[in-house]
Amino acid sequence: MLDGRRAPVGGRVAGRRKETTNVVWSGSWVAERLGVELVGDGELRELLGLALRRNPKRAHLLVSNVLGKHVPQRPSVVYGAGFELGRRVRDLLGDAGAREAVVLGYAETATGLGHAVADGLGDATYLHSTRRPVEGVARAGGFEEAHSHATSHLLLPEDPDLLGNGEEGSSGATLVLVDDEFSTGNTVLNTIRDLHERCPRSRYVIVALVDMRSPADRGRLAEFAAEIGARIDLVARNTGTVGLPEGVLEKGQALVAEQEALRPPASTSGDGKLPGTLRPGARVDLQWPAGVPDGGRHGFTPAHRAVLEPALPAMADRIAQALDERMPAERMPSGQAPHEETGAGQPRRILVLGFEELMYAPLRLGTALEARTGTGADARTGADARTGADARTGSDARYEVRYSTTTRSPVLAVDDPGYAIRTRLVFPAHDDPADGPGDRYAYNVAGAGFDAVVLVVDSTADTPALHAPGGLLHQLAAHTGTVLLAVVPSYVPSGAATAVPAESPTSVPTPAHAPERQEDSAMLPEPLRGPAFSSYAPDEVGWLLQDLSDTELEAPTEEREEAIQSGGAHYAESLPVEYQPSEQYQDLFKAALDLSAARIARAVGTVTETVLAERGPRPVLVSLARAGTPVGVLMRRWARLRRGADLPHYAVSIVRGRGIDANALRWLAAHHNPADVVFVDGWTGKGAITRELAAAIAEFEESDGTEGFNPEIAVLADPGGCVRTYGTREDFLIPSACLNSTVSGLISRTVLRSDLVGPDDFHGAKFYRELAGSDVSGHFLDTVTDRFDEVADAVDAEVKELLTADRAPTWEGWAAVERISEEYGIHDVNLVKPGVGETTRVLLRRVPWKILAKRGAGADLEHIRLLAVQRGVPVEEVDELPYTCVGLIHPKYTRGATGADGRAVESK
């Protein structure tokens, strides 16, 4: 196996400068037993080995040492091979022709190779075929691969004109078709025939690592080009033929059966299963750039390339940091050492393992990791992609990086130096494939002595099957000391109803359910994200809102209150003027945050762990904007930092008396399983929003036909006893309630007005960019996050107790509000706002009448008392209050009752 043990190419061991003699060709085992010959130029045997597979159409398999599929190889060598071929195509077409060209790669083996060829061309757009259908994306073609175990290829470009529009006649752009080997030419000819009938073009270029056609097949290509009236060029790195004796297929099948009978079914063959701890892999947060596709399944443009390239070093840094945190300072080999020179002080051997068609993203992460440590050769600067010679310029390189991917292709493993596939791991498919469940494989990984494996999958494949016992992560953990999981968000083509959202690293698998209202969700835009909308990082939250930042919505507080209480307007039709805190109040906020950060962190951990235990393994957090949003971000951070789970997080609008945003629910149902959605809010008061959400979900499901949403809310604090999922039921100061937008990503409360929000729109909100100088959103989040470690033990104990406790809602708060409403002659529970958070809101954006404070309440009410003084509102201490405080909105509001300046006065 090409894993550093033997010389794969050029007579050198990749990763060492030591020359090796009498190297065994990794095709000799098959050649000796079946009489197969590999004839070609001098380098051919260094680039190709042989293996056997159980396939009724072709017994032998050419195993490339530079493709990065079956044989771990240095990423720079793999990428350089494709990039160099792309440069040759550019020389053939000229700069202008290269810019107009479209590159098409073949799934699954050549998806990464084709992408590297497109990079070598410079500005070419790339597309690869796929065996994964994506609902909502129209097929632009398809073809069969006759010798493959899985034949059907689909072409699913997001841009329907990418491969040409037959209605507009022929295309002048050259189509460049890339495969790992050009054996009979049937696959390529089938493709060209299909696409040429749809949209004729004058020129095609075929690119392959090796051209292995027979003399008869070489003549067919020229005949076909004449038939369709187009020029067809061929660019191959090496040329040769495979000599197959008569009856080789039957002999090969018999040999496979014989070898399999000698080996009991197991996850490995040859070296056997190595000791290791079976544990889920820790996650590394790549922060994949938003909007950049995970690969070429739906097209990859020069604009995408321009965003990805500068982002690669930072992603490699995150991988390296995660490796450093989980690995010892000196190399401690896991399992079998690859050669006698390894040991403490040697570079740690890292495998970046891709996933089936997802070859390019892990390949580029691997090249960036190589470049970061000085071990990678750059194809753009003339690196030796042919021999794989070590480009390390010093002895301080920390990593020896290799790259390969998993595959659908079943290949026999034989632990012999003359055989290309030495070991294999077998595991269940984990991406819910369209053709049903089945085994998948990783070759030459077991027994290779890797100190760590960085597994890179797309979010569609990040399913429970990946993490289950016997799944790929657990299989890898048996053969290496460290397993890291990096998830690249699966790209969402425009209009694809069931694809996964293109978000940095919070994405989840495509849902198994099929939403019935796909046409509605297809009309809706993708979530808004920072920094374009909100000061939160783009991966922290996606806002299912429309941006109304340029609309004048603010009204003076007293005018809003008069309109609301008179029935002339709903509170959600306008916005209060944003409260600008005094320096004294800002100092009070900071002091309160320092005092309560650990308390909040504990509540965050408790509610998050409860959600993971009862709604896991990958719940979708949906915060009720805006008070729920900081809590949702903190819950997402806890899940990632403490449990290695990247949870998707969105914010939606809910309006008392109007319900939840139905279009936001439609979007969620189209992109996730509704049963996975967990609604999040900051706290409960009397439970009005809890009841509002339950009623709104019931109404939505009845009218829309979508089912599965759980209307229960998870909150940080539940002093009213309104929910069963909470961090605490104490009524304490949550500093995010002390401010408005400046602690909530600079986003206003949500707006629902018929002239601004149409039937196909999300509810609206504003982004107060002008308040950036006062923004403490990040400070609040970071201060609480910094306390996670110190409260972890307390959280574990608390959650263990809560999961067995009776947490049924008591609605104690609602009863108290009704009593207060009557006792104070208000007769309207909507004007009674219980709890520290709701009382703060009354003082910040309503017209307050008085504040009821629990006798003896201390630091939790300092900011309340300060705001009350500023607004001229009396604070009345009372006994037997289930809350720390209650804010009362003025029940008989007129302009005269508050004075011209809007200051409230106590009612006589």
Side-chain angles (χ1 to χ4, degrees):
M1 59 188 290
L2 180 64
D3 57 9
R5 300 192 199 182
R6 297 191 306 282
V9 279
R12 297 179 183 175
V13 174
R16 291 195 288 161
R17 291 187 176 275
K18 181 179 178 180
E19 296 292 337
T20 308
T21 59
N22 299 320
V23 176
V24 178
W25 174 45
S26 62
S28 59
W29 191 93
V30 174
E32 291 168 2
R33 285 160 177 78
L34 295 184
V36 176
E37 288 186 292
L38 195 64
V39 181
D41 58 40
E43 192 190 43
L44 198 60
R45 287 195 173 199
E46 297 169 355
L47 296 177
L48 295 176
L50 292 173
L52 297 176
R53 55 184 175 179
R54 183 181 288 279
N55 187 311
K57 302 171 184 177
R58 183 189 293 179
H60 73 279
L61 175 70
L62 295 177
V63 181
S64 172
N65 291 325
V66 297
L67 183 63
K69 173 55 75 171
H70 304 89
V71 178
Q73 176 58 281
R74 286 175 44 212
S76 58
V77 171
V78 177
Y79 184 64
F83 193 90
E84 179 184 322
L85 287 169
R87 287 291 197 227
R88 290 174 58 185
V89 175
R90 189 177 70 174
D91 292 341
L92 179 68
L93 298 180
D95 290 344
R99 282 193 297 270
E100 296 177 356
V102 175
V103 180
L104 174 62
Y106 286 88
E108 68 180 37
T109 308
T111 57
L113 176 66
H115 211 140
V117 170
D119 287 355
L121 263 74
D123 295 322
T125 296
Y126 177 61
L127 176 74
H128 69 69
S129 66
T130 180
R131 294 190 176 104
R132 180 192 291 175
V134 178
E135 193 165 350
V137 181
R139 288 180 53 178
F143 49 90
E144 298 297 313
E145 186 176 3
H147 64 269
S148 175
H149 66 284
T151 58
S152 296
H153 288 248
L154 303 174
L155 298 177
L156 305 176
E158 181 174 16
D159 178 2
D161 294 332
L162 178 61
L163 295 174
N165 189 329
E167 296 179 358
E168 298 179 2
S170 63
S171 170
T174 299
L175 182 62
V176 180
L177 302 101
V178 182
D179 208 352
D180 57 316
E181 62 177 271
F182 197 42
S183 52
T184 64
N186 290 333
T187 301
V188 172
L189 298 187
N190 287 339
T191 310
I192 294 177
R193 188 183 303 279
D194 179 83
L195 296 177
H196 197 77
E197 289 177 356
R198 298 167 183 262
C199 180
R201 64 185 74 228
S202 60
R203 191 170 188 182
Y204 298 88
V205 177
I206 300 168
V207 179
L209 286 172
V210 290
D211 176 10
M212 303 299 291
R213 291 173 299 159
S214 67
D217 288 329
R218 295 177 191 278
R220 289 178 56 219
L221 182 60
E223 294 172 0
F224 179 74
E227 175 189 333
I228 65 173
R231 175 177 173 179
I232 303 179
D233 296 290
L234 175 64
V235 175
R237 173 170 164 162
N238 294 93
T239 303
T241 58
V242 179
L244 300 175
E246 185 176 351
V248 67
L249 179 59
E250 292 76 13
K251 291 180 181 178
Q253 292 173 337
L255 185 56
V256 170
E258 173 189 315
Q259 291 295 316
E260 289 181 341
L262 294 174
R263 295 169 172 80
S267 61
T268 66
S269 63
D271 295 318
K273 196 169 186 178
L274 300 178
T277 302
L278 291 179
R279 60 191 183 281
R283 291 176 184 266
V284 55
D285 186 348
L286 289 176
Q287 297 183 29
W288 185 264
V292 174
D294 51 294
R297 180 176 289 111
H298 306 295
F300 197 97
T301 68
H304 294 140
R305 188 176 295 116
V307 177
L308 176 61
E309 289 295 333
L312 286 169
M315 288 191 281
D317 287 346
R318 295 181 188 104
I319 293 174
Q321 181 180 356
L323 289 170
D324 290 343
E325 291 172 353
R326 291 167 175 81
M327 297 174 66
E330 290 188 331
R331 184 178 173 217
M332 301 295 292
S334 171
Q336 296 183 7
H339 54 72
E340 69 279 1
E341 294 180 5
T342 59
Q346 291 293 315
R348 293 171 291 186
R349 303 189 70 246
I350 311 299
L351 175 66
V352 179
L353 183 65
F355 158 65
E356 296 184 23
E357 293 178 12
L358 187 76
M359 296 187 69
Y360 182 73
L363 173 60
R364 297 312 314 281
L365 292 171
T367 60
L369 191 60
E370 273 189 295
R372 183 185 186 278
T373 56
T375 62
D378 188 349
R380 291 184 170 88
T381 58
D384 188 358
R386 178 171 296 272
T387 66
D390 192 345
R392 190 162 54 221
T393 57
S395 59
D396 60 345
R398 288 181 295 155
Y399 304 131
E400 183 180 287
V401 185
R402 293 295 181 270
Y403 159 81
S404 64
T405 78
T406 66
T407 175
R408 298 166 62 104
S409 179
V411 184
L412 177 71
V414 178
D415 189 22
D416 187 281
Y419 191 83
I421 304 296
R422 298 286 293 274
T423 66
R424 76 175 184 176
L425 297 177
V426 186
F427 53 92
H430 52 88
D431 62 338
D432 192 24
D435 56 354
D439 287 339
R440 299 294 185 263
Y441 310 91
Y443 296 111
N444 292 331
V445 176
F450 289 113
D451 299 288
V453 176
V454 181
L455 175 63
V456 183
V457 302
D458 60 13
S459 51
T460 299
D462 184 17
T463 63
L466 176 65
H467 301 262
L472 177 55
L473 284 175
H474 284 77
Q475 293 272 13
L476 293 172
H479 298 280
T480 185
T482 300
V483 180
L484 292 180
L485 176 63
V487 180
V488 178
S490 297
Y491 183 65
V492 178
S494 177
T498 60
V500 179
E503 51 176 304
S504 183
T506 61
S507 300
V508 298
T510 300
H513 73 291
E516 298 178 5
R517 299 294 300 275
Q518 293 173 354
E519 71 280 2
D520 292 337
S521 64
M523 299 171 60
L524 298 169
E526 289 302 296
L528 300 173
R529 295 186 180 277
F533 186 83
S534 88
S535 59
Y536 292 130
D539 62 306
E540 299 271 30
V541 60
W543 302 84
L544 294 175
L545 297 170
Q546 63 165 313
D547 189 353
L548 300 179
S549 300
D550 296 330
T551 305
E552 190 67 35
L553 294 167
E554 290 76 14
T557 301
E558 66 275 8
E559 292 183 11
R560 290 186 76 248
E561 195 65 48
E562 187 174 31
I564 292 169
Q565 290 198 28
S566 67
H570 191 278
Y571 77 90
E573 294 178 352
S574 63
L575 293 174
V577 177
E578 278 285 304
Y579 169 72
Q580 296 301 302
S582 64
E583 184 175 346
Q584 181 184 6
Y585 188 83
Q586 289 176 343
D587 291 341
L588 195 61
F589 164 81
K590 295 174 182 176
L593 177 58
D594 291 339
L595 184 66
S596 62
R599 196 175 183 184
I600 298 168
R602 181 171 174 174
V604 168
T606 299
V607 69
T608 307
E609 294 292 351
T610 303
V611 166
L612 290 172
E614 297 186 335
R615 302 287 299 278
R618 287 184 55 78
V620 178
L621 304 180
V622 177
S623 295
L624 303 180
R626 107 188 121 176
T629 310
V631 178
V633 173
L634 286 170
M635 290 177 66
R636 181 181 177 278
R637 287 189 176 189
W638 179 280
R640 187 182 74 246
L641 296 174
R642 300 296 307 175
R643 296 301 178 203
D646 286 320
L647 305 185
H649 178 216
Y650 307 97
V652 303
S653 169
I654 186 169
V655 176
R656 182 171 49 80
R658 302 287 181 85
I660 197 166
D661 188 340
N663 284 323
L665 293 182
R666 292 188 185 101
W667 191 96
L668 289 167
H671 292 77
H672 301 281
N673 189 335
D676 291 335
V677 169
V678 177
F679 294 101
V680 174
D681 207 356
W683 56 85
T684 63
K686 55 183 175 288
I689 291 298
T690 303
R691 297 186 176 195
E692 185 80 40
L693 180 62
I697 292 295
E699 180 181 353
F700 171 78
E701 292 190 342
E702 181 179 354
S703 62
D704 197 79
T706 300
E707 298 181 348
F709 286 107
N710 185 336
E712 181 178 314
I713 305 177
V715 298
L716 199 62
D718 178 37
C722 307
V723 300
R724 65 181 305 277
T725 306
Y726 51 83
T728 180
R729 276 187 167 158
E730 297 178 5
D731 183 20
F732 72 102
L733 171 61
I734 301 174
S736 60
C738 294
L739 299 169
N740 286 324
S741 68
T742 52
V743 78
S744 302
L746 299 181
I747 300 301
S748 74
R749 65 161 305 131
T750 60
V751 174
L752 178 58
R753 206 168 78 191
S754 59
D755 61 325
L756 298 174
V757 179
D760 297 321
D761 296 329
F762 293 135
H763 294 187
K766 298 185 72 167
F767 175 26
Y768 291 117
R769 299 172 178 83
E770 65 275 14
L771 300 181
S774 303
D775 187 27
V776 293
S777 304
H779 174 64
F780 170 71
L781 296 173
D782 293 343
T783 301
V784 176
T785 302
D786 288 344
R787 311 298 288 273
F788 282 173
D789 286 344
E790 71 180 70
V791 302
D793 291 342
V795 167
D796 289 342
E798 195 163 89
V799 171
K800 184 177 181 180
E801 181 178 344
L802 274 177
L803 291 176
T804 59
D806 180 8
R807 293 176 283 129
T810 64
W811 295 98
E812 177 185 6
W814 188 275
V817 167
E818 289 182 325
R819 175 178 56 81
I820 292 170
S821 175
E822 297 304 313
E823 183 178 329
Y824 283 83
I826 298 174
H827 309 298
D828 183 354
V829 293
N830 290 326
L831 300 183
V832 180
K833 302 294 185 181
V836 177
E838 292 301 303
T839 301
T840 304
R841 285 178 166 186
V842 170
L843 289 163
L844 291 180
R845 64 192 192 211
R846 301 297 290 271
V847 176
W849 179 33
K850 62 178 63 178
I851 304 300
L852 307 182
K854 189 174 184 177
R855 196 178 306 279
D860 283 336
L861 291 189
E862 288 186 8
H863 78 291
I864 294 288
R865 293 188 174 94
L866 177 59
L867 285 175
V869 170
Q870 293 177 346
R871 295 295 303 273
V873 180
V875 177
E876 179 181 325
E877 291 195 350
V878 298
D879 296 310
E880 298 181 0
L881 196 64
Y883 300 94
T884 302
C885 61
V886 175
L888 305 182
I889 297 173
H890 203 293
K892 298 178 180 179
Y893 179 78
T894 66
R895 188 176 299 276
T898 61
D901 61 358
R903 290 165 65 93
V905 296
E906 184 175 2
S907 175
K908 298 286 193 292

